[in-house]
């Protein structure tokens, strides 16, 4: 409840100090959710989270004080420089590239429910604050870096949590680009992404799946479960005609109207790479059936031998 209140304070505050206070409440309420006495990985993850977020909060507070000095005392402070510092702090908070290094490592030590909160709810406040700043050039660089890092980072991952983390960084690049265009498109994208992430993490949590090899061997009996799981994978990748393509389509349309062709090309190329590693997983699950058929054949052979 306090975590939700912290986010709402940030979103509804009319000063940078109020926004900082909301972020701080949000951070201090999320850490007890992370730390689990029985698991040293989650304790380590909560410490990593605290250190990175505390650094970002300090920088944010420092830059908001600079802004207040400029406004109240007419001191000579470059406003674009201050906005850039604020933007960097908020990008560090949301885990966008090039400030993303804490994010995949931290995800590795969390439960699926905490991972979902980190990927969705914890991004609302920083992204809302980023939308207040008009720093087009820095946002452009961040978007390009985020989509590339998210695509390349997930290529050789076997851990599902790291795969979801790099996917989240890639989607964050798309969200930041939609913030540049309009807030309503960002909201639509965020809602769709949260919905798809919720379905996948919910399924991973029910079946206690953490690595890729578990995916193939788990759904040997239920074909429907296997298909619904991998359909969601493809939807998260943004493959048409699935649901996940719709928000990307909106962003693509708006970027073409704004003549951002270079940015759009980079984003679409990177999404093709993310689709490649999703399709690679799905292909081996759909087509090859892993060791399922061989196993059934051996079982049948043994039963016929016994009958003879």
């Amino acid at each position: 409840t306090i975590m939700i209140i912290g986010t709402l304070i940030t979103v509804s505050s009319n000063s940078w100090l109020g926004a900082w206070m909301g972020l701080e409440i949000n951070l201090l309420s999320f850490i007890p959710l992370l730390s689990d006495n029985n698991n040293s990985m989650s304790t380590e993850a909560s410490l990593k989270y605290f250190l990175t977020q505390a650094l970002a909060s300090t920088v944010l507070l420092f830059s908001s004080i600079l802004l207040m000095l400029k406004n109240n005392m007419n001191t000579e402070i470059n406003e674009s420089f201050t906005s850039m510092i604020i933007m960097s702090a908020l990008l560090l908070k949301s885990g966008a590239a090039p400030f993303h290094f804490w994010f995949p490592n931290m995800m590795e030590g969390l439960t699926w429910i905490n991972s979902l909160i980190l990927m969705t709810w914890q991004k609302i406040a920083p992204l809302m604050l980023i939308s207040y700043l008009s720093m087009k050039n820095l946002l452009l660089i961040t978007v390009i870096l985020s989509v590339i890092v998210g695509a390349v980072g997930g290529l050789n991952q076997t851990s599902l949590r790291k795969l979801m983390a790099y996917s989240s960084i890639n989607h964050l690049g798309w969200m930041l680009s939609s913030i540049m265009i309009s807030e309503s498109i960002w909201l639509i994208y965020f809602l769709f992404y949260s919905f798809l992430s919720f379905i996948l993490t919910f399924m991973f949590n029910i079946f206690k799946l953490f690595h890729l090899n578990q995916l193939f061997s788990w759904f040997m009996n239920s074909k429907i479960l296997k298909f619904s799981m991998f359909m969601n994978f493809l939807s998260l990748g943004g493959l048409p005609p699935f649901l996940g393509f719709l928000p990307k389509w909106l962003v693509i349309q708006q970027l073409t109207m704004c003549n951002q062709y270079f940015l759009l090309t980079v984003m679409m190329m990177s999404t093709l790479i993310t689709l490649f590693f999703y399709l690679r997983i799905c292909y081996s699950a759909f087509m090859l059936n892993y060791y399922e058929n061989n196993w059934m054949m051996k079982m049948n052979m043994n039963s016929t031998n016994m009958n003879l």
Side-chain angles (χ1 to χ4, degrees):
T1 312
I2 297 169
M3 186 179 73
I4 293 165
I5 289 167
T7 302
L8 293 178
I9 288 170
T10 304
V11 170
S12 58
S13 67
N14 59 356
S15 70
W16 284 108
L17 203 63
W20 168 80
M21 191 169 65
L23 287 168
E24 210 61 23
I25 292 166
N26 180 275
L27 158 68
L28 292 174
S29 58
F30 188 49
I31 285 169
L33 281 176
L34 296 181
S35 54
D36 178 12
N37 294 329
N38 304 325
N39 189 356
S40 60
M41 285 280 281
S42 67
T43 317
E44 183 191 333
S46 58
L47 188 63
K48 277 178 188 170
Y49 186 73
F50 173 73
L51 289 172
T52 48
Q53 297 293 321
L55 172 66
S57 292
T58 314
V59 174
L60 184 67
L61 184 63
F62 168 70
S63 47
S64 58
I65 289 167
L66 280 180
L67 271 179
M68 285 168 74
L69 279 173
K70 183 183 185 304
N71 295 335
N72 298 342
M73 299 184 183
N74 296 323
T75 46
E76 285 299 316
I77 296 166
N78 191 352
E79 195 166 337
S80 62
F81 172 69
T82 323
S83 300
M84 197 173 82
I85 298 174
I86 292 178
M87 181 75 98
S88 304
L90 294 171
L91 290 170
L92 174 58
K93 270 196 172 293
S94 56
F99 311 104
H100 67 282
F101 294 99
W102 61 274
F103 192 68
N105 292 331
M106 196 197 134
M107 280 272 287
E108 194 60 37
L110 302 183
T111 61
W112 277 119
I113 303 298
N114 287 336
S115 300
L116 179 67
I117 296 170
L118 185 67
M119 286 190 297
T120 55
W121 185 263
Q122 294 298 90
K123 284 188 167 48
I124 295 173
L127 287 173
M128 277 298 286
L129 293 177
I130 285 169
S131 68
Y132 301 153
L133 296 162
S134 55
M135 293 287 294
K136 273 277 177 77
N137 295 338
L138 186 60
L139 258 184
L140 271 171
I141 296 162
T142 310
V143 167
I144 290 167
L145 282 173
S146 291
V147 290
I148 291 170
V149 164
V152 176
L155 274 175
N156 58 349
Q157 296 299 333
T158 54
S159 163
L160 285 174
R161 280 173 293 193
K162 278 199 172 174
L163 201 69
M164 290 295 280
Y166 281 112
S167 169
S168 181
I169 293 168
N170 184 274
H171 281 284
L172 192 61
W174 279 81
M175 280 184 234
L176 288 169
S177 68
S178 61
I179 282 174
M180 285 162 53
I181 309 157
S182 77
E183 277 187 35
S184 55
I185 290 178
W186 165 69
L187 197 61
I188 292 165
Y189 196 105
F190 184 79
L191 287 171
F192 274 88
Y193 169 68
S194 302
F195 176 64
L196 292 168
S197 296
F198 170 73
I199 294 169
L200 270 177
T201 46
F202 188 67
M203 288 182 85
F204 291 153
N205 190 45
I206 289 172
F207 298 112
K208 298 285 178 286
L209 301 173
F210 295 104
H211 295 277
L212 278 184
N213 55 355
Q214 289 173 283
L215 276 182
F216 305 131
S217 54
W218 195 260
F219 300 115
M220 271 169 57
N221 301 323
S222 175
K223 292 282 190 292
I224 298 168
L225 263 178
K226 183 185 262 190
F227 265 82
S228 59
M229 163 80 80
F230 289 111
M231 290 295 174
N232 280 311
F233 254 121
L234 294 176
S235 188
L236 194 68
L239 184 76
F242 297 109
L243 187 69
F245 176 63
L246 182 63
K248 288 195 172 177
W249 190 7
L250 290 173
V251 175
I252 289 166
Q253 195 177 7
Q254 290 297 323
L255 280 172
T256 44
M257 285 167 70
C258 297
N259 297 326
Q260 297 279 5
Y261 296 117
F262 172 70
L263 178 66
L264 192 56
T265 311
V266 174
M267 284 163 67
M268 285 168 73
M269 295 289 275
S270 71
T271 308
L272 284 175
I273 300 170
T274 55
L275 258 177
F276 165 71
F277 62 74
Y278 283 138
L279 276 168
R280 189 178 55 183
I281 300 160
C282 298
Y283 180 78
S284 44
F286 287 152
M287 301 294 182
L288 307 177
N289 268 340
Y290 210 52
Y291 54 76
E292 188 173 346
N293 291 340
N294 301 346
W295 183 257
M296 294 307 289
M297 277 174 66
K298 280 179 184 173
M299 289 280 283
N300 292 337
M301 288 284 285
N302 289 340
S303 61
T304 47
N305 288 342
M306 283 170 74
N307 292 337
L308 286 170

